Amino acid sequence: MVQQKAVIVRNAIKRYGKNLVFDGLNMTVSRGSIYGLLGASGCGKTTLLSCVVGIRYFDSGEVWVLGGNPGSKGSGIPGPQVGYMPQEISLVGEFTTSGALYYFGRINGLGDKEIETRQRFFSELLQLPPANRLVKNMSGGQQRRVSLAAAMIHKPELLILDEPTVGLDPILRENIWAYMIQITQEEDITVLITTHYIEETKDANKIGLMRCGKMLAELAPQKLLEQFQCSSLEETFLKLCKAQDNTVSLNDVQESKVEDTGSDVSYQNQYEQAATLEYKSVSKRQVSRFKRFTALLAKNGNQFLRFYGGLVYAILFPIIQISVFIIAIGKDPKGLKIGVVNNEAGNCDYGSNCGNVWNDEITCHFNNLSCRFLHDFSDSIATQEYYDDIYEANYAIQNGKLNGLMYFSQNFSESLQIRMEDATMAKDSDLLASQIQVFLDMGDMQIGLHLQKKLFYRFLEIYEDIMRDCKYSPKLADPPIRFKKPVYGSIDLNYADFLAPSYMLILIFCLASSVSTSVIITDRLEGVWNRSIVQGVRTNEILLSHIIIQSIIIVVHTTMIMLLYFSIWGLESKGSIFDVIILTFLMGFCGLMYGFVISIMWTNYTMAHYSSTGSFLALILLSGCIWPIEGTPKVLRWISYMLPTTLPSISMRGIIYKGYSVSEEQVYIGFIIVIGWTLFFFIVAILGIRWKSS
């Protein structure tokens, strides 16, 4: 009976592009032993370990770990049977020492009391930093010791350590090796370790020497020294490297000198023996999904709450955005200037001339009505600047000094009297002279339209006063079209009222997506994602735990939006405020799922944030937020309707300004769209995670 093996690799081939990492590599690790894997930096040690734990895969070849292929039912990987310490620290920066050990202990099935006991032991053995110190505030050596403790906390059957002693002092390295020798002898634990310090592997049961994609030799350290008649393992490794170089230079015509040494690990014999091995499936420790999930929730919650910059952004940024909207949008423009050329009364004696209107019971007489129109001309409309010549004022407009120009003809009042008293007999010259001629700078359309509206209503207001002074009905001043009270909304709504419903939904969508965009990327870059997967955590559990934590932020965002818009700004909803809250939350949740899709799609922050920002601009432009979608071309309009924010924005306007309930088609179609997009993003996220993990 051949001794039971913990890890067996046969004929492994691995390429990265055109680079060949492994070329028929073989490795055998016996149970209850320490196996030291040695090789130059970049020779593929880390890649080999990642293939052993199932993070990466060989292009061809076979691997057995604890009785089965990694990922299969018979193997202990993924699961708590293995303890894995990658070369990188692979810990969340917001972990404390205690938090890191509790997280990895819980996902491997340990109870809190057991974790506490083992934490005390490893704190003394590894000289761990204080329990409440954050990983991001530790030195490199302290981080590595915490990472090592996290791998060993649950006493796995197989311990895989990638350069755990780098940067540690010699005494601590000796303590670690003494502990590994103890657990292999007393608890039948297997240790597979890589290290920069070749000589420290003298205490290993077997060492494997890797170079150029092949295993040069697998022997006990003492046997290697005796066989090659060397005084140090470094000298032995150097001889093996030279032997391999000689073999390559002969184009493989001669056999490797390594194989000529009579090593007891001839790969051909090993491969033949592999067929006779009885692979005994390990007894898997059962870890409840609930325990893993609660550990993930605690980890994600601490990660978010201790990332103070992100926390401030998530809470303060929406307050700033909404406050800026409330303060900056919809107010009347101030500081405008309008030129006045009054050929009737000049500068109206700087406001002392207000014009005259009198009725001699036969007819009504006007004098200097231009001054009446200009008197008390509020600066909220525009500041008046008088000019003697219309061409001079027009030149000032061209130079950007004025926003517009009003011109009164010399006989403005008399012509207006003729127009009013006997319009049928009025000459064209009288009709033209009775007009206030206005020239606006429409290069800034919104300013121009604002002045146009204000001047028009100013004229109607003064004209009604003139009718009263003439003892005529003020209704004579009304234009022959009258806009009655609107069926929905108010006639005095401004541009901010038009923007508000769409802006609320787009804002919460983009806030949620920006918060979740970097979540998965962070886990991957910090290495905690792969490390958790190796310990048996499932990808859908990681995603769901992030969704739950981030949903709390959506609740906070929704609450702030409701308070700022409805309580502080005074926006009134004609419909159910509950419907408004639910639609806002659902839109935030949709943005959250979209952010997860981006986070899964990209592997770096730059591309993720480019995607998020680009999406925000597209939503602003195409969802009817800044301009009605009826003003876009038909094809673009249908694209707009397919966006996740367009129809829900229409639904929100229906609730707020029309008082519609969810039973109305205009409202429930928005709910259907946002739920549909949420489900779509969720499915894409699940499929994306599985594809990335395969």
Side-chain angles (χ1 to χ4, degrees):
M1 178 70 66
V2 180
Q3 182 185 4
Q4 184 68 39
K5 307 300 180 184
V7 179
I8 298 178
V9 177
R10 292 291 177 267
N11 299 323
I13 295 177
K14 178 70 176 176
R15 289 183 176 87
Y16 284 131
K18 296 181 180 179
N19 297 323
L20 184 63
V21 182
F22 305 138
D23 183 13
L25 183 140
N26 297 275
M27 183 176 72
T28 305
V29 180
S30 300
R31 290 199 183 212
S33 68
I34 301 177
Y35 186 103
L37 184 60
L38 304 177
S41 178
C43 72
K45 301 188 299 297
T46 296
T47 300
L48 177 59
L49 295 188
S50 66
C51 292
V52 169
V53 297
I55 296 174
R56 295 188 179 96
Y57 301 94
F58 296 125
D59 295 329
S60 64
E62 296 178 286
V63 57
W64 294 273
V65 181
L66 297 178
N69 298 116
S72 66
K73 291 183 179 180
S75 174
I77 295 180
Q81 283 72 31
V82 66
Y84 176 50
M85 177 188 172
Q87 191 176 54
E88 299 80 14
I89 300 303
S90 298
L91 297 174
V92 175
E94 287 71 34
F95 272 152
T96 60
T97 302
S98 180
L101 299 184
Y102 268 83
Y103 170 69
F104 283 100
R106 286 166 176 168
I107 64 174
N108 284 293
L110 298 186
D112 287 355
K113 289 185 177 179
E114 193 173 5
I115 295 172
E116 184 180 353
T117 300
R118 296 186 182 182
Q119 179 181 345
R120 287 197 298 268
F121 170 76
F122 284 116
S123 293
E124 183 176 349
L125 174 69
L126 302 177
Q127 301 173 21
L128 298 181
N132 61 350
R133 180 172 297 176
L134 295 179
V135 169
K136 61 185 178 183
N137 296 332
M138 298 177 188
S139 66
Q142 289 175 329
Q143 291 176 342
R144 189 161 292 277
R145 296 201 295 272
V146 174
S147 182
L148 176 59
M152 298 192 297
I153 186 93
H154 58 291
K155 291 187 178 179
E157 297 178 33
L158 173 62
L159 193 57
I160 298 177
L161 308 175
D162 196 355
E163 298 184 0
T165 58
V166 172
L168 303 185
D169 67 76
I171 296 177
L172 188 54
R173 289 207 305 268
E174 287 292 333
N175 291 340
I176 292 172
W177 273 91
Y179 177 70
M180 290 192 298
I181 293 171
Q182 178 186 344
I183 60 177
T184 54
Q185 293 176 351
E186 297 179 1
E187 303 178 35
D188 199 33
I189 290 176
T190 306
V191 179
L192 173 55
I193 180 174
T194 70
T195 178
H196 275 166
Y197 309 105
I198 296 179
E199 292 303 320
E200 77 175 353
T201 57
K202 66 182 184 299
D203 294 323
N205 300 99
K206 183 192 291 186
I207 58 175
L209 302 175
M210 279 185 62
R211 188 169 184 264
C212 298
K214 290 183 178 291
M215 192 71 72
L216 301 182
E218 282 184 312
L219 277 176
Q222 194 58 39
K223 287 186 178 181
L224 270 176
L225 295 175
E226 293 174 359
Q227 185 169 326
F228 287 91
Q229 298 179 355
C230 297
S231 59
S232 69
L233 291 175
E234 279 197 46
E235 184 182 355
T236 304
F237 193 22
L238 181 60
K239 279 191 175 183
L240 287 169
C241 292
K242 289 180 179 179
Q244 187 185 38
D245 290 339
N246 291 336
T247 303
V248 173
S249 66
L250 292 174
N251 296 318
D252 294 328
V253 174
Q254 300 176 354
E255 292 185 352
S256 170
K257 293 182 180 180
V258 178
E259 295 176 343
D260 288 341
T261 61
S263 169
D264 64 351
V265 284
S266 170
Y267 293 128
Q268 183 177 357
N269 292 336
Q270 282 186 349
Y271 188 72
E272 291 172 354
Q273 291 174 356
T276 66
L277 292 177
E278 293 183 5
Y279 296 114
K280 183 180 180 182
S281 179
V282 297
S283 56
K284 298 199 73 172
R285 302 186 208 169
Q286 296 297 323
V287 181
S288 70
R289 289 189 177 184
F290 177 77
K291 178 169 286 190
R292 285 201 306 260
F293 195 70
T294 52
L296 285 167
L297 288 177
K299 170 250 179 187
N300 295 336
N302 288 330
Q303 188 175 0
F304 181 78
L305 292 175
R306 289 172 180 158
F307 180 46
Y308 302 119
L311 192 62
V312 169
Y313 170 82
I315 296 177
L316 189 60
F317 191 71
I319 297 176
I320 295 174
Q321 290 288 320
I322 299 170
S323 299
V324 169
F325 175 88
I326 293 173
I327 295 171
I329 304 297
K331 304 296 189 297
D332 287 342
K334 305 293 183 182
L336 304 181
K337 294 182 180 180
I338 190 164
V340 178
V341 177
N342 190 350
N343 288 341
E344 180 183 52
N347 59 16
C348 297
D349 295 331
Y350 299 102
S352 59
N353 184 354
C354 301
N356 296 311
V357 177
W358 70 95
N359 193 322
D360 58 7
E361 296 183 358
I362 297 175
T363 186
C364 195
H365 300 277
F366 303 153
N367 182 42
N368 291 337
L369 283 186
S370 58
C371 293
R372 183 158 189 166
F373 183 81
L374 296 171
H375 185 68
D376 287 337
F377 195 92
S378 174
D379 287 344
S380 63
I381 301 176
T383 302
Q384 302 173 39
E385 293 189 5
Y386 288 92
Y387 288 82
D388 297 327
D389 182 79
I390 191 171
Y391 298 104
E392 182 185 359
N394 191 57
Y395 184 73
I397 295 175
Q398 294 175 7
N399 289 333
K401 296 179 180 179
L402 297 176
N403 300 104
L405 163 66
M406 291 189 298
Y407 171 72
F408 297 89
S409 63
Q410 186 174 2
N411 55 344
F412 171 74
S413 298
E414 292 81 357
S415 299
L416 187 60
Q417 180 179 344
I418 294 172
R419 173 190 280 265
M420 187 183 73
E421 297 288 349
D422 195 6
T424 58
M425 300 299 293
K427 300 176 183 178
D428 288 346
S429 59
D430 293 328
L431 295 177
L432 181 62
S434 67
Q435 295 176 347
I436 304 173
Q437 297 182 42
V438 180
F439 305 88
L440 296 174
D441 177 8
M442 295 301 288
D444 190 330
M445 188 181 70
Q446 291 298 330
I447 297 294
L449 292 176
H450 168 75
L451 280 174
Q452 188 179 62
K453 176 183 175 182
K454 290 293 185 179
L455 293 174
F456 177 72
Y457 283 116
R458 172 70 176 174
F459 173 79
L460 292 181
E461 179 186 350
I462 298 301
Y463 202 34
E464 285 183 1
D465 290 341
I466 293 172
M467 293 299 102
R468 291 190 186 93
D469 291 347
C470 289
K471 298 180 181 179
Y472 296 157
S473 172
K475 292 183 179 180
L476 288 172
D478 292 342
I481 182 172
R482 185 174 184 82
F483 292 95
K484 306 294 287 185
K485 182 180 179 181
V487 178
Y488 294 112
S490 171
I491 200 169
D492 60 349
L493 290 177
N494 59 29
Y495 190 60
D497 296 300
F498 166 74
L499 285 177
S502 296
Y503 187 77
M504 288 166 57
L505 297 184
I506 293 176
L507 177 63
I508 196 168
F509 181 91
C510 294
L511 283 172
S513 65
S514 64
V515 169
S516 60
T517 291
S518 59
V519 168
I520 303 298
I521 295 175
T522 300
D523 274 1
R524 288 187 182 277
L525 291 180
E526 289 186 337
V528 73
W529 177 283
N530 284 338
R531 193 167 183 177
S532 298
I533 296 299
V534 171
Q535 302 305 148
V537 178
R538 301 185 179 182
T539 54
N540 57 353
E541 294 172 345
I542 298 176
L543 178 61
L544 185 58
S545 66
H546 279 303
I547 290 173
I548 291 177
I549 295 299
Q550 300 299 320
S551 295
I552 298 174
I553 305 303
I554 306 304
V555 173
V556 174
H557 286 169
T558 302
T559 303
M560 288 190 294
I561 288 174
M562 294 300 106
L563 289 175
L564 289 170
Y565 268 112
F566 292 94
S567 298
I568 296 178
W569 190 41
L571 181 64
E572 181 182 355
S573 176
K574 302 294 183 182
S576 170
I577 191 65
F578 179 76
D579 294 342
V580 173
I581 294 172
I582 295 299
L583 184 57
T584 304
F585 175 80
L586 289 176
M587 182 56 67
F589 197 77
C590 183
L592 185 72
M593 298 312 306
Y594 176 63
F596 280 122
V597 170
I598 294 176
S599 190
I600 293 166
M601 181 188 310
W602 301 111
T603 57
N604 61 79
Y605 295 115
T606 302
M607 291 304 301
H609 290 309
Y610 281 166
S611 300
S612 180
T613 303
S615 303
F616 177 75
L617 293 175
L619 289 176
I620 286 286
L621 295 173
L622 295 178
S623 65
C625 177
I626 61 176
W627 196 254
I629 57 175
E630 289 79 5
T632 59
K634 189 173 182 179
V635 175
L636 198 59
R637 195 181 311 165
W638 283 110
I639 295 175
S640 175
Y641 283 134
M642 290 188 291
L643 296 176
T645 56
T646 303
L647 289 175
S649 295
I650 296 174
S651 300
M652 185 67 85
R653 284 198 185 94
I655 297 171
I656 293 176
Y657 296 131
K658 299 181 180 181
Y660 284 171
S661 65
V662 180
S663 60
E664 298 286 343
E665 181 181 1
Q666 182 176 325
V667 176
Y668 70 68
I669 191 68
F671 279 85
I672 292 174
I673 290 295
V674 71
I675 292 173
W677 273 106
T678 302
L679 292 175
F680 172 75
F681 288 140
F682 179 74
I683 292 171
V684 171
I686 291 292
L687 295 177
I689 282 181
R690 291 180 179 177
W691 177 69
K692 289 278 188 177
S693 301
S694 62

